Amino acid sequence: MPRALFLLLIAAILPAQRPELPKIQDWKGRTILVFTPHPDDDTFGCGGTLALLAKNGNRIFIAIYTNDDKGSYDLDMNSQRLAAIRKAEEETACSTLGISKENILWMGHHDGMLEYVNPLALVEQTTAIIRKVQPYAIFSIDPGREDVRWHKTDHRMAAMNTVDAIRASEWHLYFPNQRLSQGLMPWKPQWVILYYTKPADANIWVDIDADLKIKAAAAHVSQFEPAIHKYRPDWDPTELEKFTAGFKTRLPKKDGRYMEAFRATRY
Amino acid sequence: MPRALFLLLIAAILPAQRPELPKIQDWKGRTILVFTPHPDDDTFGCGGTLALLAKNGNRIFIAIYTNDDKGSYDLDMNSQRLAAIRKAEEETACSTLGISKENILWMGHHDGMLEYVNPLALVEQTTAIIRKVQPYAIFSIDPGREDVRWHKTDHRMAAMNTVDAIRASEWHLYFPNQRLSQGLMPWKPQWVILYYTKPADANIWVDIDADLKIKAAAAHVSQFEPAIHKYRPDWDPTELEKFTAGFKTRLPKKDGRYMEAFRATRY
Amino acid sequence: MPRALFLLLIAAILPAQRPELPKIQDWKGRTILVFTPHPDDDTFGCGGTLALLAKNGNRIFIAIYTNDDKGSYDLDMNSQRLAAIRKAEEETACSTLGISKENILWMGHHDGMLEYVNPLALVEQTTAIIRKVQPYAIFSIDPGREDVRWHKTDHRMAAMNTVDAIRASEWHLYFPNQRLSQGLMPWKPQWVILYYTKPADANIWVDIDADLKIKAAAAHVSQFEPAIHKYRPDWDPTELEKFTAGFKTRLPKKDGRYMEAFRATRY
Amino acid sequence: MPRALFLLLIAAILPAQRPELPKIQDWKGRTILVFTPHPDDDTFGCGGTLALLAKNGNRIFIAIYTNDDKGSYDLDMNSQRLAAIRKAEEETACSTLGISKENILWMGHHDGMLEYVNPLALVEQTTAIIRKVQPYAIFSIDPGREDVRWHKTDHRMAAMNTVDAIRASEWHLYFPNQRLSQGLMPWKPQWVILYYTKPADANIWVDIDADLKIKAAAAHVSQFEPAIHKYRPDWDPTELEKFTAGFKTRLPKKDGRYMEAFRATRY
Amino acid sequence: MPRALFLLLIAAILPAQRPELPKIQDWKGRTILVFTPHPDDDTFGCGGTLALLAKNGNRIFIAIYTNDDKGSYDLDMNSQRLAAIRKAEEETACSTLGISKENILWMGHHDGMLEYVNPLALVEQTTAIIRKVQPYAIFSIDPGREDVRWHKTDHRMAAMNTVDAIRASEWHLYFPNQRLSQGLMPWKPQWVILYYTKPADANIWVDIDADLKIKAAAAHVSQFEPAIHKYRPDWDPTELEKFTAGFKTRLPKKDGRYMEAFRATRY
Amino acid sequence: MPRALFLLLIAAILPAQRPELPKIQDWKGRTILVFTPHPDDDTFGCGGTLALLAKNGNRIFIAIYTNDDKGSYDLDMNSQRLAAIRKAEEETACSTLGISKENILWMGHHDGMLEYVNPLALVEQTTAIIRKVQPYAIFSIDPGREDVRWHKTDHRMAAMNTVDAIRASEWHLYFPNQRLSQGLMPWKPQWVILYYTKPADANIWVDIDADLKIKAAAAHVSQFEPAIHKYRPDWDPTELEKFTAGFKTRLPKKDGRYMEAFRATRY
């Protein structure tokens, strides 16, 4: 059993000592790698924080597991077209948050099919991304969420596969061909920051610009009414207003301020 | 991320609002689809409720993942014979509950092997069943039970695969050949009702006819002593009496009445 | 649904009755089978208890899923050499606990790859081991630990696969060729004892010889500094002292005595 | 080793005795099952013979492995639309040959993906079709063609899977759930007739109506220029003329008559 | 590319030099390992030669891939019983040839399922057998037979998997855990002798005792009429006579003597 | 069925017309892509021709399926080290032929494991390489060689997978994410040139510089004696002399000149 995990186990038995926590708002010039199951979970899960990080001069990469080519009720929609729509929407959302489309890494899997992809090839692909990007911190979807336990989907697979790949990345004997033929060295991030976390598991909260986050969320036009039922490339203005208002009331607050909550671990 | 799930996530962060709950006892003329890992979990998990639904004039379909062809201690038993015995027992149990054997859909997998079946083929098969039956409500085994987390068996796989298939069924771009060549349209049930739920997760309770449920349970002769150790097609009368009494004391009660408990979600 | 599981389900709904618990310290002349994901989790998880059992004249077999051939930061290390090192370390640790190396069963999988091995072949292999050894009690890693839910690794796979194999072992129609061609009869252990359990799930505690356990743990030289970064076959004496002291402060205590905690189930 | 294969092996060593050959032109009132990798190989491989069989009052079923949803150079084409186009073209072609679209069984796999489908699920699906249809003769693509050995594609997989399923169909212990829950009995066809055979392997020739076959072939508009490069639902008249003439010169002839050649085996 | 294969390739381009051929009839005290897909292909394919080798004091091991539990037309037969019948028949046949049942290694796979077993686990299992037995010569089914190209069955998989395992066995870096934890060293046989070979590929012929071979073949009672249709443990005397006569006329002869033909390669 | 294959089939039935053949010696400024199972098959199979192409100013890319990390008899060798040795040897060999190491694309699979890699991921990876490189001609190992039919190894898998990927590359609906997210357009090479072809299948011969080819072959030091048994980084001079002489006598000649033979197809 690798040493890091051993310490974790030991720790779990002892009275909780105060764990070290990241000060995300102070980060500058860091490399950040975000894993997201679909091209919108990054916006919903940590968009406000990413905007802050971008503003503070950090380099952000977004690795997207799937192309989201299935989630439309429009019977005239097809998968190739939907994938193109979602790609463009994600680029707009990222641009709103201050992330350029050159920094988006499309991992190339199909919506809803992540469970059925070869899992060894998936973890190898993910490990290579981590070793190439060499991030200071990795954001990913929390594998401990209740709905992840209850719903076996891209979310669960993306969540688990990312933590697996983080573990594999630090040991050169996992996928040694990556070092030999691509020159990729083992890498261990300093922080793993999980979004879509259970409220009870959250240990850090980041103060965000709610309007900017909602603006980015609204870029995912085809994910919402009316476009999800009958595709149109833009919002009906009334619907947009309703969406914006609804989204804002639902955003979590702490001490009267809009927040994003995370479960952070020193790695 | 599909919109339904997004709302769920948002909801999870907000103070719990009172969720809408089904009034099962008032349903009439509805189509009900039950998924069960083995040909007896339906009886044990929701047999009383199914009897009530049948009496009230609903159409009930039972989709059974496996043929239960391994669970016997009798060293002279073989799998082909055991599968035939369990099929007959299930037909008797269903008949006791008011469900005809024409409404039983055998999915054709072997006992204990559901984890090892091709998972993509399994979710495709399950999606086709949902789209064909077009149920108002789906009953299935709760993927959130503790023992499901702890025991990797047909139960866990059936539980997770069913929720996956429910999600897939509503989007026409999942398994589009089902629409093209079989004319199956996307379908979304109104309710998902989970049995074998953790007591803490239960949100509805249905008042049942305990004696009828026990009679149906007793149809599964080969699952209990003495037939599980040395097969015989009928009960030893003393054993049956003990079984009936024991089963009754163990049936959950609420407010002095025999109940079945479920975790229900508006879908 | 097999009868044992049915009783479990029924039980879960009733007010907790006092479950029967094993008196490990009284066992003599029993056959004990330990499953461990890596050649060191047995030492860390239940080494003190195994030493006690060995002293009391029980026969102990250690079945090890993987060869631990990846966990080194030493860039000059290779997998074949690391596997050999870990094998020798495990033999030393077992010998310290009173278990001879003839009783170690190497299952032959590679470190970190247990999730990617064919799962049906894995459960068949594990079932054959149980049926051959015919253990009175099985020790294994707890599939209910939080970190197992969160981290998809050898730990999770080993934990789940073992409980699956225990279930399969008792029914002769699982893997019937084992009975036909190898003469292996169905087998059901009396006790399943889970280590690395969540503190809240523990139901028995065993008083151990802490110094002996730490001595056995220290045999895993290559798992710790400095050898994990630059391999050397022995400890730097200062580091060993620090390790020993640190390990001891972290060992769980109960009523002032060093303990190992388990979740035990009558099977 | 099943007896039939044994006889085959023995036979292979002996001087060739004159094998029994089918008189296809004399068949009347027979049930014929055709397996085709794509919705056009049936037309090209045995369309003339099928037209003859239909005219003579035989019942013909066409089982189509894939939906042919990838073979277009048109960059504006998408897979859902192409699948619908190919389905309609196949229905037209079959209708031309005298086969109604109710007799087409779409097996639901994607073009070019047959090698990657779960092979056990595929052979089970194919076996069920044979047992349901209970054909007197099965037409399928020859697994012995040179290009099948050289090109690993849907053709090879369809060819081999069909012969496997034919073998499985006759033994009730293959997929016994088909008999138990669907009432499907074991079935052995009298003849296996292979198309796309190597000229050297052909042992029967059927005199066909060349113009009818070409008319059916021309129904596959989207498979040829100009529609394969820029989709249009109909032929450019000049292109159609060229196609018709070209196709006719290439049709094999024997004794001055247009023929289809097969490798037939008494089963 | 391993050196042995390279030489083969080079050789293939040069004018055929006279290859070295084995003198099977002179072997004494050798260890022979036979791989057979089913428990009867060894008898039919090389039973006469094995009898000769046994008589001459060689040690013969029979490794049998499958349990042959499907090939019966008897609708009352079940797989567990058929497997037991075939095992007993094989033991009788081997005993007739002079091979004791202790030397039969049952590999534990199901009839007709060898294609669907995990292929990496299969080649690893086969490699371990070769390294344990350390045979001077290996007999196996010829992967070059025409019917193997045409029929994808246990025969093809067994044929190919065996040659793969022979290649893997000689390199210690294939499955290195076999050396580390089981002490199995790399092994290269001197000869690979293929049965069920195409007549054109045969390069050696062994003079056999035809009556003894037929007697061994007749031990496989359940493979032939009448027992294949309605099981009985013994022959109808008239049928046995017919079988014996028929088998004898079909046995290949060379220079007036009964022979078995093989394709032998110096390895 | 794609049109190209249809024409092929039609063609196969007609009297052979003279197929168009490539004039490799006249190619200048072309892009050439070579697929090789191991880092040496390119040298042995077409090294002389590659040297000629390099000299004539063509751009050559070498895509290597596996890292050849198993083929050593040296018991002190390990896989990580052997992979590094073979990589360096291949770079030397390529450099000898006039190909720089920047043009070598390591596909990252392990020696002997190509059959067990996920085949869909493999063909997707290969398709991406073809679409990126956009070669005028592709060299690959002939899937029609006899030994490929007889030996299931990396050679067979590489051979078949390459032809599959060539077919997939030309259709944009295969792996459409490659176009959408990486901008890779469909691509069809003009020529497919197969090496290690059966002499009877060869249709073109290229006049080569035998000494240069042998020099490149000799760069693969660890593939031959003495280094294959006891690794040393250089040749024993006597052995090198023997190797050189032996290799030369074995090189195929035509009309008194050293040649490489290929099976070429206009695509």
Side-chain angles (χ1 to χ4, degrees), chain E residues 1 144 164 170 172 263, chain F residues 40 73-74 149-150 152 250:
Chain E
M1 183 184 54
D164 272 6
E170 69 172 301
H172 69 97
R263 181 160 73 94
Chain F
D40 67 358
Y73 297 117
D74 185 342
R149 178 158 64 91
W150 288 355
K152 175 187 148 199
R250 274 163 177 150

Side-chain angles (χ1 to χ4, degrees), chain C residues 144-196:
Chain C
R145 255 196 77 85
E146 283 306 285
D147 66 281
V148 170
R149 179 159 62 91
W150 287 356
H151 297 267
K152 175 186 147 201
T153 71
D154 296 339
H155 283 217
R156 196 175 77 152
M157 193 64 183
M160 292 201 155
N161 180 70
T162 304
V163 293
D164 272 6
I166 293 172
R167 176 178 49 81
S169 296
E170 69 172 301
W171 306 101
H172 69 97
L173 292 172
Y174 278 85
F175 313 120
N177 285 337
Q178 296 185 351
R179 178 180 166 215
L180 177 62
S181 50
Q182 304 176 56
L184 298 177
M185 296 304 287
W187 184 259
K188 190 158 64 164
Q190 297 293 307
W191 291 101
V192 176
I193 317 277
L194 302 170
Y195 57 84
Y196 283 173

